Amino acid sequence: MSQRLFRLRQLASTKQRTGLLPCSPATIWRMVKAGEFPQPFKIGQNCTVWDASEVEGYIKQQRERGAA
């Protein structure tokens, strides 16, 4: 089984780097806490990740809402 994963640094944008989403790490964590963004999970003591298919589903849902 091969599961694609995203780390926060791949998702969030900063002044130095553009991420998959145009929002900061703090905004992503606020959205997670509010239940507006997929929940991450830990794969190690210091490694938190998101399932790529859940994140892509979130992006698709947001795109469809914007088109409506």
Side-chain angles (χ1 to χ4, degrees):
M1 176 179 111
S2 176
Q3 183 177 21
R4 293 181 312 119
L5 304 172
F6 287 126
R7 295 193 66 182
L8 183 60
R9 64 183 167 84
Q10 294 171 290
L11 296 175
S13 294
T14 64
K15 290 180 181 180
Q16 296 82 20
R17 180 182 22 76
T18 301
L20 184 63
L21 301 172
C23 51
S24 71
T27 298
I28 290 176
W29 283 116
R30 274 195 295 274
M31 292 189 311
V32 167
K33 187 175 182 179
E36 300 168 358
F37 193 73
Q39 287 288 321
F41 58 95
K42 288 200 169 271
I43 59 172
Q45 185 176 358
N46 296 315
C47 189
T48 301
V49 295
W50 281 261
D51 182 296
S53 63
E54 290 181 14
V55 172
E56 290 163 352
Y58 167 82
I59 293 169
K60 181 180 178 187
Q61 182 182 45
Q62 296 306 306
R63 185 183 309 131
E64 290 170 355
R65 282 185 184 170

